[in-house]
Amino acid sequence: MDSINKSFRLPTLRGLVSGPQSLLTPLHLGALCIALGVLTPIVALIWQATQADFAHWDNLITFVLPSVLKNTLVLLAGVAVIVGVIGVGSAWAVTAWDFPGRKILSWALLLPLAMPTYIVAFAWLDLLHPIGPLQTFIRFVLGFDSPRQFRLPDLRSLPGAIILLGLVLYPYVYLTTRAMFISQPAHLLEAARTLGCSATGTFFRVALPMARPALAVGISLALLETLNDIGASEFLGVQTLTVTVYTTWISRSDLASAAQIACMMLMFIFCILTLEFYGRKKQGFSSRSLRAIKPTRIEGWRGWLLGGVIALPVILGFLAPVIFLARESAKRLGEENALSPSLLAALQNTLSLAAGTTLVVVCVSLLVAWSARHSAADNAMPGFRRGVMRLASLGYAVPGTILAIGFLTPAMAVDRWLADLLDVRGLPLMSAGILLVICCAMRFQAIAIGALDSGLSRIPPSLEQASRLLGENGAGTFARIHFPLLRPALVSSALLVFADAMKELPTTLLLRPVNFETLATVLYAEAARGTYEEGAIAALMIVLAGTLPVILLVRHQMTRQG
């Protein structure tokens, strides 16, 4: 890292556009424009915040921000603790011990990734309702007849939000730390035990410090998803910065104040990204050439007890909500007109949005990754590749609410200019949903860029050189060599983007055209009205769409580990 930074020098303008290894070729210019396009909403957000009046901040500082900041900080801290404990504990358990159900749990622990946070909150609010199935069953067992005699604590609270978000987001930590634990050499742990360290001490003094970079990366991803959440926090009655930005814009029609509050969230994002950066910077402790950890067999009731404890996050974060949604959907499907025209229209809109976003993301990400490949191969500007890819991937780190607010001002200006140019009434890009697709593509293209860049890095340059020596041009080499080898990465990244676009709520709520509903917005509206059973079918459709990419991810992980 230091050697790369020392060798990097800012170029002159002449050096950028001239010379045998010119940096700003059309390919590189296109990638740079894409990266700057992702940066535009953030710059526009800061500009809009500075142009607005600050007179209302006395009221915000006195009555709004203290409680909102407290809720946000406590929520982030609580989620970090829960995802860290569950993620690290489950990853170490399935790595270090062999117990009944271990093979199933090793991949089942990833299933909550298929559950959007707002759907888990939606399901558990109904499951834990005072007259819901769980509390009714508990009262029946205890011999009570009324909720007045026995009632569980209300889930609509800050602790409830922390627990539910932790149950959904812990797979980010599990995924990263599990990979680190698997790659740790067994002789280090054996040496610690030989020197008199207990099993617990070996974990805390050897295994966990070596996995600390992966833990930092996993927690940072979970915290970014927590900041992006709007549905679960609002359903559970927790006023966070994200919810405040949304209500300030939509309920009070004050876009300028929403932009100013959103700028405060950028500080949280900066801190989280700093944590992630230093986490990645210190990776690389282990060597795969050394002997890996061999799980210790745990027999009898201790093994079954351990398996039951490790299965709890899967049951609470995935199985219970899915069973509830399937049960409620079966009830609705048994009724007449269960699949109403509005629900079918929302399904069609969701599929169209997800397909359009996926198409744009794959094309754009392929251009950025291919540009980075050539920058690295030509040894032209070592910092260019890293800088462009970081900028182009920035959208995933920014919550959808903030990205939509920053994107709205420049996008509407372009839309008005286009309407004047074409001499049409209204806003053609907004009404056609194109702006929504573009903003979703900005948010999710980091997924595809990472997958495609990883796929290209596995293709040896010698294949491309051999193709060119045989007389094939650049386009032909890409079509015949790179594209077939990139097909697995393209398919997997497209599935992940498709699933994320189907369940995206904040961006869709803020930028959707008039009378344009998706499954996520239908579910949000039903939950806001308290009619949970009406949104069960929409929720189940979203979960089923998100389960396929998770299964693909599981297969990929099992292939790597096998």
Side-chain angles (χ1 to χ4, degrees):
M1 179 69 71
D2 293 337
S3 61
I4 293 177
N5 290 334
K6 290 178 181 178
S7 64
F8 176 70
R9 295 291 185 271
L10 290 176
T12 62
L13 180 61
R14 181 179 179 181
L16 289 174
V17 297
S18 63
Q21 290 183 340
S22 176
L23 172 64
L24 294 184
T25 63
L27 179 66
H28 295 142
L29 276 174
L32 183 60
C33 290
I34 292 169
L36 294 177
V38 175
L39 187 64
T40 299
I42 300 176
V43 175
L45 177 73
I46 298 174
W47 177 85
Q48 189 172 14
T50 57
Q51 298 300 311
D53 187 12
F54 288 86
H56 61 284
W57 271 82
D58 290 338
N59 180 64
L60 287 175
I61 293 174
T62 304
F63 300 105
V64 179
L65 290 181
S67 61
V68 169
L69 285 172
K70 178 184 175 182
N71 289 341
T72 303
L73 288 172
V74 173
L75 181 65
L76 291 174
V79 170
V81 171
I82 288 185
V83 300
V85 171
I86 297 178
V88 173
S90 57
W92 180 248
V94 298
T95 303
W97 297 312
D98 186 9
F99 52 89
R102 171 180 172 269
K103 290 184 178 180
I104 296 176
L105 287 174
S106 63
W107 60 262
L109 284 163
L110 291 172
L111 288 176
L113 282 176
M115 298 292 294
T117 54
Y118 59 87
I119 288 184
V120 174
F122 169 87
W124 276 106
L125 279 173
D126 206 19
L127 281 169
L128 291 178
H129 194 275
I131 58 174
L134 286 182
Q135 294 210 46
T136 301
F137 176 75
I138 294 174
R139 285 195 297 270
F140 171 77
V141 172
L142 297 178
F144 296 119
D145 298 325
S146 171
R148 296 179 180 178
Q149 297 174 296
F150 176 84
R151 183 172 178 175
L152 293 175
D154 193 357
L155 187 63
R156 287 185 174 90
S157 62
L158 184 56
I162 291 173
I163 293 172
L164 286 186
L165 289 176
L167 287 172
V168 179
L169 300 177
Y170 79 85
Y172 288 107
V173 177
Y174 170 78
L175 192 62
T176 55
T177 54
R178 164 84 163 143
M180 186 67 77
F181 286 146
I182 290 175
S183 63
Q184 287 183 3
H187 75 275
L188 294 179
L189 304 181
E190 294 168 355
R193 297 300 301 272
T194 303
L195 293 173
C197 197
S198 64
T200 303
T202 300
F203 170 73
F204 283 105
R205 299 180 66 178
V206 180
L208 186 59
M210 291 174 62
R212 190 164 48 200
L215 176 61
V217 173
I219 289 179
S220 66
L221 291 173
L223 294 184
L224 289 174
E225 288 296 324
T226 303
L227 276 180
N228 182 59
D229 171 72
I230 184 173
S233 299
E234 190 170 2
F235 295 166
L236 298 172
V238 179
Q239 193 73 10
T240 62
L241 278 173
T242 309
V243 176
T244 303
V245 169
Y246 174 74
T247 55
T248 302
W249 181 5
I250 300 300
S251 302
R252 303 174 189 172
S253 300
D254 191 351
L255 182 59
S257 297
Q260 292 174 346
I261 300 174
C263 285
M264 293 185 60
M265 292 184 64
L266 293 178
M267 294 187 294
F268 287 89
I269 296 169
F270 176 78
C271 294
I272 295 172
L273 291 179
T274 302
L275 171 68
E276 192 269 348
F277 172 75
Y278 281 104
R280 287 185 184 274
K281 189 176 181 181
K282 297 180 181 180
Q283 282 182 344
F285 290 102
S286 58
S287 172
R288 291 187 177 271
S289 62
L290 300 176
R291 181 167 52 88
I293 300 173
K294 183 179 180 180
T296 302
R297 181 66 181 175
I298 301 180
E299 303 283 355
W301 65 270
R302 291 184 178 86
W304 287 102
L305 178 61
L306 178 60
V309 172
I310 301 302
L312 276 178
V314 182
I315 296 172
L316 299 177
F318 182 79
L319 286 181
V322 167
I323 292 173
F324 164 77
L325 294 176
R327 177 173 171 269
E328 294 298 325
S329 298
K331 290 181 181 178
R332 293 290 299 159
L333 291 174
E335 301 175 0
E336 189 176 355
N337 296 325
L339 296 176
S340 61
S342 60
L343 183 60
L344 293 176
L347 175 61
Q348 181 180 356
N349 292 339
T350 304
L351 294 175
S352 300
L353 171 62
T357 301
T358 303
L359 179 62
V360 173
V361 165
V362 169
C363 294
V364 167
S365 302
L366 193 57
L367 189 151
V368 173
W370 186 248
S371 170
R373 164 88 169 191
H374 275 268
S375 297
D378 297 338
N379 294 321
M381 292 289 294
F384 177 82
R385 175 179 183 267
R386 183 175 296 103
V388 169
M389 292 192 66
R390 282 181 181 270
L391 284 178
S393 304
L394 188 61
Y396 195 72
V398 181
T401 308
I402 294 181
L403 194 65
I405 292 176
F407 178 75
L408 186 65
T409 300
M412 294 294 285
V414 173
D415 210 4
R416 292 190 186 96
W417 172 81
L418 185 61
D420 293 338
L421 181 66
L422 300 177
D423 194 20
V424 296
R425 299 179 60 183
L427 300 170
L429 298 180
M430 173 68 82
S431 58
I434 296 176
L435 295 185
L436 176 59
V437 170
I438 294 174
C439 193
C440 286
M442 287 182 177
R443 172 149 171 73
F444 298 126
Q445 69 186 23
I447 300 172
I449 289 175
L452 294 177
D453 181 59
S454 177
L456 283 171
S457 66
R458 295 188 180 96
I459 301 175
S462 59
L463 294 179
E464 181 177 354
Q465 295 168 1
S467 175
R468 300 302 292 269
L469 287 174
L470 292 172
E472 191 65 81
N473 57 21
T477 299
F478 174 79
R480 296 191 175 196
I481 303 296
H482 294 91
F483 186 79
L485 295 175
L486 277 178
R487 193 172 298 152
L490 280 170
V491 172
S492 61
S493 60
L495 284 173
L496 288 170
V497 171
F498 187 88
D500 278 343
M502 278 198 67
K503 63 186 182 183
E504 173 63 14
L505 179 62
T507 308
T508 309
L509 276 176
L510 298 175
L511 292 179
R512 70 187 191 274
V514 179
N515 298 324
F516 184 91
E517 299 290 343
T518 65
L519 293 175
T521 59
V522 167
L523 177 62
Y524 178 84
E526 297 293 351
R529 289 191 290 265
T531 54
Y532 299 102
E533 65 280 356
E534 301 294 331
I537 298 178
L540 187 61
M541 290 179 179
I542 296 174
V543 172
L544 292 177
T547 303
L548 180 60
V550 173
I551 293 174
L552 184 69
L553 179 62
V554 167
R555 290 185 60 186
H556 177 68
Q557 289 295 316
M558 294 180 68
T559 302
R560 289 180 60 186
Q561 295 167 14

